[in-house]
């Protein structure tokens, strides 16, 4: 992986810069990159220091006249000019995928920022009067003043949301910059600033939205090495869907060779390989595919646990890893994915249903208000035979986020049945749902579909999906490409009318775009194909042994009740391998992350020995 780290301090007593920087940068300077270990560059002045682990073409380091900048995606020299002219307002003038840290010795100020989709993370924390920062939680935790105490609320949030949504991180005291956010240190105080936020056009009238999509996506792909006239071959991960097919088709027509990759799971993969194969023929790409089984997954888990900066709650990372390995074997330096397409256009897996009217609401209002509801909630309220129907209607009429909470897999078991009582005393079980509700109402939109899109862009996408793809690519030794998260595509999606993001709207939009290119339209997908981890748990002895051993060790950490883990493995998993296999995956990856030996656990002296989070 690559990244940056450092600090700025206004304290009179300075730190041993070289020693702390080398230790912080160690997690950023691994050997998993395409060209081996990343070159490490560092610089410092009287107030701070920073290190940058990245190839020269990927990032730049600037040190002149007391100004120190480490930057990905934006030339550091350009940032220096913007800073001197506009100060912290410079972030609003930037575009593309970027992350940077700027330390100004002359005015004792610092500026940290990430792009509008936070495609590259940046973490920070205050330690006294020092601001510490890094691209990796582990790199930040290595600073002597950072501390390595785990945040119990973050552990709960991970199991509830399948990822730790910012600004919280797994380490207590650490914070993560949100999409379109910067951190400005000035006058001895720290200020978080949202320099950009998605603003949706609710009543847009665009007669040809598919043309706007083509223009925006073409612009995004023109910014890649493949599309910039450098004639580098490009790789794209295919699943047969319209989003990946459209982007790969545009890449192919931009010149140069395009390689496509697909991963199948054998029986029960929904024909994903056949759909990807058909799409590759239409595109004219050089296509490779691989079927993975339980033995492959057991090997992949260790690689992903080593590459991820936080527990990997997305099982799809396994398929991403094997696609990245095929791209690396073909000599490619970058693998593109269509991640973000579903979220931007209202088809995200978790929140899309919040924007769709349920069947009961589609009935005529007079029928509901004059007949059904008076019968069920009036004279028929005491009839046991109508209780089931009455319950379903009550659930259908609940607000969107209340429906989301009821569907949560963790809450379906009951938090008291899942967690140890002493652990629950340290957390607020309502905090994750409360944060989602706050984000919903702060969205700059009125329609439910755009509120659902914004939940994806602020939570799942930057905190679960993009980190999983980035970690899988890093483990495979390639760089991750995300054309659908380019500013042009994001802005186009914000201008798109809500009707194009709900129902069959996205399907029609991408179909029209493909037809305009003269490309055949793939058949509508039957639904997202999840990694059949539950089936492998039941059928593969090695995966089962790895999962059972990991969950047994996790039970000793006194976070989860052993009775819950035993029930999950012995009864729930055989009853529904798909749903409960996902739960086992998240618990397994949490233990794999905790067991890497880099985390010290909760402070036992502050919370009691029973919550030290070490196997007892």
């Amino acid at each position: 992986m690559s990244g940056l780290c450092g600090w700025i301090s206004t304290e009179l007593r300075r730190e041993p810069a070289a020693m702390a920087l080398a230790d912080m940068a160690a997690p950023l300077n691994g050997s998993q990159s395409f060209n081996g270990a990343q070159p490490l560059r560092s610089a410092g002045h009287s107030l701070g220091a920073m290190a940058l682990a990245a190839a020269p073409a990927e990032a730049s380091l600037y040190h002149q006249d007391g100004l120190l900048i480490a930057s990905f995606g934006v030339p550091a020299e350009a940032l220096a000019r913007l800073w001197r002219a506009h100060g912290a307002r410079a972030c609003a003038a930037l575009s593309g995928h970027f992350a940077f840290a700027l330390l100004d010795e002359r005015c004792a100020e610092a500026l940290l920022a990430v792009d509008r989709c936070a495609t590259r993370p940046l973490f920070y924390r205050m330690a006294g009067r020092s601001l510490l920062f890094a691209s990796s939680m582990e790199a930040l935790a290595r600073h002597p003043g950072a501390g390595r105490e785990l945040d119990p609320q973050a552990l709960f949030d991970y199991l509830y949301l399948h990822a730790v949504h910012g600004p919280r991180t797994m380490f207590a005291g650490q914070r993560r910059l949100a999409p379109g956010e910067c951190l400005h240190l000035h006058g001895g105080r720290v200020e978080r600033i949202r320099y950009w936020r998605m603003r949706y056009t609710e009543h847009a009238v665009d007669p040809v939205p598919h043309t706007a999509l083509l223009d925006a996506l073409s612009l995004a792909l023109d910014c890649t090495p493949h599309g910039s006239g450098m004639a580098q071959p490009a790789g794209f991960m295919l699943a047969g869907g319209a989003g990946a097919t459209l982007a790969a088709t545009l890449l192919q027509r931009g010149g140069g060779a395009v390689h496509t990759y697909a991963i199948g799971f054998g029986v029960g993969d929904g024909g994903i390989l056949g759909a990807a194969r058909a799409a590759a023929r239409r595109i004219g790409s050089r296509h490779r595919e691989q079927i993975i089984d339980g033995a492959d997954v057991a090997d992949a888990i260790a690689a992903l646990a080593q590459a991820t900066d936080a527990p990997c709650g997305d099982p799809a990372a396994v398929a991403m890893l094997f696609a990245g390995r095929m791209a690396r074997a073909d000599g490619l330096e970058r693998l593109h994915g269509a991640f973000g397409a579903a979220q931007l256009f209202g088809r995200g897996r978790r929140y899309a249903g919040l924007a769709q009217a349920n069947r009961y609401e589609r009935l005529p209002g007079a029928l509901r208000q004059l007949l059904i509801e008076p019968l069920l909630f009036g004279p028929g309220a005491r009839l046991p035979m109508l209780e089931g129907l009455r319950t379903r209607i009550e659930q259908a009429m609940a607000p969107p986020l209340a429906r989301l909470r009821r569907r949560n897999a963790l809450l379906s078991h009951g938090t008291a049945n899942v967690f140890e009582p002493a652990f629950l005393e340290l957390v607020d079980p309502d905090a994750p749902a409360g944060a989602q509700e706050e984000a919903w109402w702060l969205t700059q939109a009125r329609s439910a579909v755009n509120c659902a899109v914004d939940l994806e862009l602020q939570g799942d996408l930057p905190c679960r999906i993009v980190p999983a793809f980035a970690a899988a690519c890093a483990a495979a030794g390639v760089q991750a490409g995300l054309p659908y998260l380019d500013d042009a595509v994001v802005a186009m999606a914000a201008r798109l009318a809500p009707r194009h993001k709900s129902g069959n709207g996205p399907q029609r939009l991408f179909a029209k775009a493909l037809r305009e290119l003269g490309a055949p339209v793939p058949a509508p997908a039957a639904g997202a194909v999840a990694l059949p981890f539950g089936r492998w748990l039941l059928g593969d002895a090695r995966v089962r042994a790895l999962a059972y051993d990991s969950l047994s060790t996790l039970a000793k950490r006194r976070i989860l009740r052993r009775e819950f883990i035993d029930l999950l493995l012995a009864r729930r998993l055989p009853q529904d391998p798909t749903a409960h296999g996902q739960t086992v995956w998240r618990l397994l990856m949490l233990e794999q992350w905790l067991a890497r030996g880099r985390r010290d656990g909760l402070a036992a002296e502050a919370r009691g020995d029973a919550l030290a989070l070490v196997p007892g």
Side-chain angles (χ1 to χ4, degrees):
M1 63 183 299
S2 58
L4 59 88
C5 61
W7 70 82
I8 182 171
S9 176
T10 57
E11 294 177 326
L12 295 178
R13 186 172 58 186
R14 304 303 175 202
E15 308 180 48
M19 179 181 67
L21 267 182
D23 194 32
M24 290 180 72
L28 308 175
N29 198 26
S31 59
Q32 295 293 328
S33 65
F34 183 81
N35 294 313
Q38 301 283 15
L40 183 65
R41 292 168 278 169
S42 61
H45 51 50
S46 64
L47 294 183
M50 63 173 61
L52 177 67
E58 186 183 7
S60 53
L61 183 67
Y62 177 94
H63 188 199
Q64 187 174 330
D65 298 330
L67 190 58
L68 184 56
I69 304 174
S71 173
F72 286 86
V74 180
E77 293 82 358
L79 278 173
R81 292 192 296 269
L82 285 170
W83 169 256
R84 292 183 177 117
H86 304 288
R89 296 190 302 274
C91 296
L94 300 176
S95 61
H97 298 171
F98 66 84
F100 69 83
L102 179 153
L103 311 180
D104 195 329
E105 182 182 25
R106 295 172 301 174
C107 56
E109 293 188 33
L111 184 66
L112 314 177
V114 295
D115 62 57
R116 298 175 183 183
C117 291
T119 54
R120 181 177 287 272
L122 202 54
F123 304 92
Y124 69 93
R125 73 163 295 162
M126 293 298 298
R129 300 189 64 184
S130 298
L131 172 64
L132 319 176
F133 57 87
S135 298
S136 155
M137 290 191 305
E138 171 62 18
L140 182 54
R142 283 171 173 257
H143 189 279
R148 304 175 63 84
E149 181 182 345
L150 291 177
D151 184 350
Q153 185 67 54
L155 291 170
F156 183 90
D157 292 357
Y158 164 75
L159 296 175
Y160 186 103
L161 299 169
H162 312 168
V164 181
H165 289 190
R168 193 182 299 276
T169 76
M170 292 296 286
F171 289 112
Q174 286 194 16
R175 291 295 179 261
R176 171 180 177 150
L177 288 180
E181 188 175 56
C182 65
L183 187 80
H184 186 202
L185 172 67
H186 60 105
R189 63 186 182 91
V190 167
E191 182 182 9
R192 292 175 62 123
I193 303 170
R194 290 300 293 265
Y195 70 85
W196 178 88
R197 191 171 185 99
M198 191 88 144
R199 288 179 172 83
Y200 299 88
T201 304
E202 297 287 296
H203 304 290
V205 181
D206 189 342
V208 284
H210 60 283
T211 301
L213 172 61
L214 283 173
D215 292 342
L217 191 55
S218 298
L219 181 62
L221 293 169
D222 283 344
C223 296
T224 67
H226 176 84
S228 59
M230 300 173 67
Q232 294 185 12
F236 212 103
M237 185 175 176
L238 281 184
T245 301
L246 179 61
T249 300
L250 287 171
L251 268 178
Q252 176 77 349
R253 298 191 177 194
V258 172
H259 300 248
T260 53
Y261 304 96
I263 303 297
F265 313 128
V267 178
D269 63 8
I272 188 172
L273 289 183
R277 201 175 302 132
R281 285 196 299 268
R282 292 189 291 266
I283 296 166
S285 62
R286 301 178 183 178
H287 185 66
R288 288 183 62 191
E289 57 192 40
Q290 182 178 355
I291 297 177
I292 59 176
D293 57 20
D296 297 317
V297 174
D299 292 330
I301 286 172
L304 289 172
Q306 185 64 32
T308 51
D309 198 40
C312 179
D314 193 349
V318 174
M320 301 172 193
L321 173 63
F322 283 97
R325 287 176 174 175
M326 286 192 288
R328 174 68 183 264
D330 285 343
L332 304 186
E333 296 187 22
R334 184 181 297 270
L335 177 67
H336 295 280
F339 306 103
Q343 290 74 26
L344 282 169
F345 297 97
R347 300 299 292 270
R349 183 180 300 180
R350 179 177 295 184
Y351 304 123
L354 300 182
Q356 298 175 3
N358 54 67
R359 294 180 180 179
Y360 180 69
E361 290 177 323
R362 296 172 189 168
L363 295 175
L367 178 63
R368 290 187 280 115
Q369 297 171 15
L370 298 179
L371 179 60
I372 299 177
E373 292 172 12
L375 174 63
L376 292 177
F377 299 97
R382 297 181 180 180
L383 296 177
M385 66 183 67
L386 298 178
E387 183 177 354
L389 180 59
R390 188 166 52 250
T391 300
R392 289 199 298 271
I393 290 179
E394 287 175 344
Q395 293 174 349
M397 298 301 292
L401 291 182
R403 300 201 303 267
L404 180 66
R405 186 180 301 198
R406 286 173 180 156
R407 296 203 305 263
N408 186 274
L410 185 66
L411 295 184
S412 67
H413 298 287
T415 54
N417 298 323
V418 175
F419 294 98
E420 289 283 357
F423 179 80
L424 282 177
E425 292 178 0
L426 301 176
V427 303
D428 178 3
D430 294 325
Q436 287 181 313
E437 186 169 353
E438 181 182 9
W440 178 279
W441 294 113
L442 287 177
T443 301
Q444 311 259 333
R446 293 183 178 180
S447 67
V449 65
N450 279 332
C451 289
V453 166
D454 212 63
L455 278 184
E456 298 274 8
L457 297 183
Q458 299 298 320
D460 264 18
L461 198 60
C463 300
R464 181 176 63 87
I465 300 172
V466 170
F469 185 50
C473 287
V478 295
Q479 297 178 7
L482 296 161
Y484 277 99
L485 296 185
D486 184 83
D487 290 352
V489 182
V490 172
M492 178 268 161
R495 296 192 301 267
L496 196 62
R499 61 187 175 86
H500 293 299
K501 305 177 193 175
S502 59
N504 293 325
Q507 179 183 324
R508 290 193 295 267
L509 175 69
F510 281 88
K512 289 181 178 179
L514 285 166
R515 290 191 188 101
E516 184 161 318
L517 293 177
V521 180
V529 179
L531 190 85
F533 188 66
R535 175 165 58 84
W536 287 328
L537 277 170
L538 297 175
D540 188 275
R542 187 177 172 195
V543 174
R544 185 167 57 253
L546 175 61
Y548 283 37
D549 289 347
S550 295
L551 267 62
S552 178
T553 305
L554 182 62
K556 298 176 183 178
R557 297 184 185 274
R558 303 179 180 91
I559 305 171
L560 303 170
R561 297 174 66 96
R562 179 170 291 277
E563 296 86 354
F564 164 72
I565 292 179
D566 292 342
L567 178 66
L568 175 67
L569 296 176
R571 294 181 56 186
R572 302 298 188 199
L573 181 63
Q575 289 173 355
D576 190 347
T578 300
H580 296 294
Q582 302 285 311
T583 302
V584 174
W585 168 273
R586 289 189 290 274
L587 297 177
L588 163 65
M589 295 309 291
L590 173 60
E591 173 55 33
Q592 290 289 311
W593 186 81
L594 290 169
R596 270 157 53 185
R598 305 187 317 184
R599 282 149 293 277
D600 296 338
L602 295 171
E605 67 274 13
R607 297 183 174 91
D609 291 340
L611 293 170
L613 291 188
V614 293

